[in-house]
Amino acid sequence: MSGRILVVDDIAPNVRLLKAKLEAEYYDVLSADNGPDAIEIARQSVPDLILLDVMMPQMDGYEVCTHLKNDPLTRHIPVVMVTALDQQEDRVRGLEVGADDFLSKPIDDVALFARVRSLLRLKLVMDELRQREASGRALGAINDHLTCFSDTKAPADILILEEDQQRGERLARKLHDQHNITLSFDPREAAAKLNEKSFDLLVINLVARGFDGLRLCARIRSSETGRAMPILALVDPDNREKIVRALDVGVNDVLLRPVDANEFTARVKTQLRCKRYADTLRQSLDTTFEMSVTDQLTGLHNRRFMQARLEDALTRLEHGVEPASVMMADMDFFKRVNDKWGHDAGDRVLQELARRLKANMRAVDITCRYGGEEFVVVMPGADIDAALQAAERLRASVEAERFDLGSEQGSAPLTISAGITELCEGDTHQSALIRADQALYEAKEAGRNCVRRTKTTPARSATGA
Ligand SMILES: [Mg+2]
């Protein structure tokens, strides 16, 4: 995986050394020898990762990191602090200002590339989400409500898998004031819990002698439900190979034992922040999708979605799976509603009609607002007789109860006309809708407030369905 990396260090030989190492692995490397330049370059060329020296004159690494994480242009870029000091206080301070990870000087190559790969992989996922979100925004489907890295105080669901009871309880104590902690001492039990509900974070001991934590991590990463859950692993500092394997398997972050309480809570916070950001992005994508197939006024499906489902129904018919019918319904004299009581009353009527439509159709039926006061229902599995019954039930329910027009206008009796047709082999969604529309026209001609079906019985499929 290639990527563009910005190296920041005030000592020129340090920059040269890191640059050479990274370029040897085909990374594209940019560099800066002071904080203000680093911020400028980050804004201009938006690298995929920043390796940031802590000790620099004038503006130190913490200050640079604070700037980067407060700027919407750069806050999503992972930052690895490079420090000569191996002090836990410094790590905590770095995590507090938003750093994603640490490397100690002199930099160990294996640790460096494991970190780089893992952070670039995470960024790839984030970038894709961000991109899709941006196109949703451009289409007007997403409002500008999304705040990057929302630091919500809401409690998270955290699963801790430890081997030792005392150690597990010690970890849990550090988090339970703020979060809901589930403690487990058995990987099989932990796996079962992960299947039962979704957690926001898994903390796992990878040095346990009683079980193979890495195997569980790998399994979680290959499962549909666990793919997006961050994993924080506890490892021994001298087991470098395990650290590298953990990051390669897809563990998001590692914490070295003995565990420092502040570093632990800070790393947990970082992982939760990322998770929440990704969740927010995913949610807004779901909303975009929902909006792209929904009619805004009635909440029914829109025409585009209905056409796709109609095509599905035709495919199933052609494979002899099941018959299907389609109904086109139209409010009688709807123009009079708008003319007499105004468009607000008209909208209210359409919303109520949509409600009755849904109430009278099965859950598998696709109810759609086709345009104006016209509605289409695709009925998978329904032959013409079943469709006729459903349409008649709907017509009766519309006639049975007056429609509310708003507090000042009172209510009015209204009716619908409907045309139905059964799908036949060789149909396209257009030909089926044209037939349903013809039947609807006949219903209108027959005096409205009635249902008509197409005269011709469709040819049954060759398999005799
Ligand atoms: Mg320095």
Side-chain angles (χ1 to χ4, degrees):
M1 185 184 349
S2 79
R4 192 187 304 160
I5 300 176
L6 171 60
V7 174
V8 188
D9 200 308
D10 57 319
I11 314 273
N14 286 350
V15 173
R16 276 201 300 274
L17 181 67
L18 259 178
K19 204 169 177 281
K21 282 181 183 181
L22 291 165
E23 280 175 346
E25 298 288 324
Y26 305 109
Y27 291 108
D28 182 11
V29 183
L30 305 166
S31 63
D33 63 7
N34 64 73
D37 281 1
I39 293 168
E40 195 47 41
I41 293 172
R43 288 179 56 95
Q44 299 257 320
S45 35
V46 195
D48 299 305
L49 183 70
I50 300 174
L51 297 178
L52 179 60
D53 183 29
V54 172
M55 302 283 279
M56 292 187 292
Q58 285 143 23
M59 190 188 267
D60 68 13
Y62 301 120
E63 207 181 322
V64 176
C65 190
T66 307
H67 265 96
L68 293 169
K69 293 296 179 182
N70 282 328
D71 185 341
L73 268 180
T74 54
R75 61 169 39 131
H76 63 282
I77 306 171
V79 173
V80 178
M81 297 278 224
V82 182
T83 166
L85 320 155
D86 201 18
Q87 298 283 323
Q88 250 141 358
E89 289 152 46
D90 295 318
R91 288 168 174 263
V92 172
R93 195 169 157 210
L95 290 165
E96 292 290 342
V97 298
D100 296 82
D101 218 322
F102 295 90
L103 285 169
S104 308
K105 287 181 191 170
I107 293 176
D108 174 286
D109 286 10
V110 180
L112 168 68
F113 290 115
R115 289 298 192 195
V116 166
R117 274 199 303 274
S118 148
L119 285 170
L120 287 180
R121 202 164 44 212
L122 179 68
K123 180 159 181 298
L124 213 63
V125 176
M126 291 293 208
D127 281 353
E128 200 187 320
L129 285 170
R130 279 161 38 83
Q131 202 166 21
R132 280 196 267 163
E133 197 244 347
S135 34
R137 205 188 290 270
L139 291 169
I142 297 178
N143 299 326
D144 262 333
H145 69 280
L146 196 73
T147 47
C148 274
F149 288 91
S150 50
D151 238 333
T152 162
K153 294 277 179 287
D157 291 315
I158 301 175
L159 177 65
I160 298 177
L161 175 58
E162 247 296 348
E163 182 176 40
D164 179 85
Q165 177 135 9
Q166 276 191 342
R167 240 180 298 163
E169 279 164 5
R170 219 177 301 140
L171 288 175
R173 264 200 302 280
K174 285 165 194 158
L175 302 174
H176 76 208
D177 281 351
Q178 251 193 304
H179 304 294
N180 308 319
I181 309 299
T182 306
L183 195 51
S184 175
F185 301 99
D186 172 52
R188 254 169 311 180
E189 184 202 46
K193 284 187 192 299
L194 288 169
N195 274 334
E196 264 165 40
K197 68 175 225 175
S198 68
F199 284 86
D200 299 305
L201 175 69
L202 169 68
V203 178
I204 184 169
N205 177 2
L206 287 188
V207 282
R209 260 162 292 169
F211 56 79
D212 184 355
L214 263 184
R215 190 172 298 278
L216 180 64
C217 292
R219 210 170 292 155
I220 289 167
R221 279 297 176 253
S222 61
S223 79
E224 191 67 45
T225 46
R227 203 164 292 162
M229 176 186 60
I231 304 177
L232 173 60
L234 307 187
V235 288
D236 279 331
D238 46 5
N239 196 341
R240 218 178 56 175
E241 192 201 346
K242 188 150 251 176
I243 297 173
V244 171
R245 281 181 65 197
L247 291 168
D248 279 345
V249 154
V251 161
N252 301 71
D253 198 4
V254 294
L255 179 62
L256 305 183
R257 299 199 319 166
V259 173
D260 173 79
N262 292 326
E263 189 181 346
F264 177 54
T265 48
R267 286 194 188 268
V268 165
K269 200 169 141 196
T270 301
Q271 288 308 316
L272 291 176
R273 197 179 50 197
C274 277
K275 165 81 163 41
R276 284 178 170 146
Y277 178 52
D279 283 351
T280 316
L281 285 175
R282 276 194 198 96
Q283 256 163 30
S284 74
L285 286 176
D286 287 349
T287 313
T288 316
F289 176 72
E290 191 64 36
M291 286 172 82
S292 71
V293 299
T294 305
D295 171 59
Q296 292 301 291
L297 177 67
T298 60
L300 298 179
H301 290 301
N302 62 18
R303 185 194 279 237
R304 181 168 17 145
F305 184 80
M306 180 275 297
Q307 280 170 359
R309 297 290 77 75
L310 190 48
E311 295 286 355
D312 290 349
L314 282 166
T315 308
R316 281 201 304 276
L317 172 80
E318 262 148 38
H319 287 87
V321 179
E322 59 177 16
S325 295
V326 58
M327 167 172 77
M328 196 174 275
D330 183 89
M331 196 109 217
D332 296 327
F333 303 114
F334 182 70
K335 194 172 171 300
R336 289 186 198 167
V337 175
N338 277 334
D339 290 349
K340 197 167 170 189
W341 293 292
H343 287 276
D344 285 349
D347 285 353
R348 194 181 276 263
V349 163
L350 292 176
Q351 285 167 337
E352 172 59 16
L353 177 57
R355 197 192 61 75
R356 292 189 203 182
L357 190 59
K358 286 199 94 153
N360 281 284
M361 295 295 149
R362 303 164 303 165
V364 294
D365 294 331
I366 315 299
T367 50
C368 139
R369 182 174 177 214
Y370 196 60
E373 68 275 26
E374 255 188 332
F375 295 81
V376 167
V377 182
V378 180
M379 294 179 256
D383 62 16
I384 192 80
D385 295 327
L388 196 57
Q389 270 183 21
E392 181 53 40
R393 193 170 58 228
L394 171 67
R395 188 209 58 75
S397 96
V398 171
E399 188 183 23
E401 223 181 300
R402 297 168 69 93
F403 281 68
D404 182 26
L405 301 166
S407 51
E408 315 232 310
Q409 334 260 41
S411 65
L414 294 167
T415 59
I416 59 160
S417 302
I420 52 169
T421 191
E422 187 173 339
L423 302 188
C424 48
E425 272 191 81
D427 258 340
T428 59
H429 72 259
Q430 290 99 332
S431 66
L433 289 171
I434 286 170
R435 274 207 315 285
D437 193 39
Q438 279 165 357
L440 171 60
Y441 178 77
E442 284 168 28
K444 294 277 184 192
E445 287 291 291
R448 298 183 167 83
N449 190 23
C450 62
V451 179
R452 287 292 179 271
R453 47 172 286 183
T454 45
K455 300 276 183 315
T456 49
T457 309
R460 290 292 175 175
S461 79
T463 51

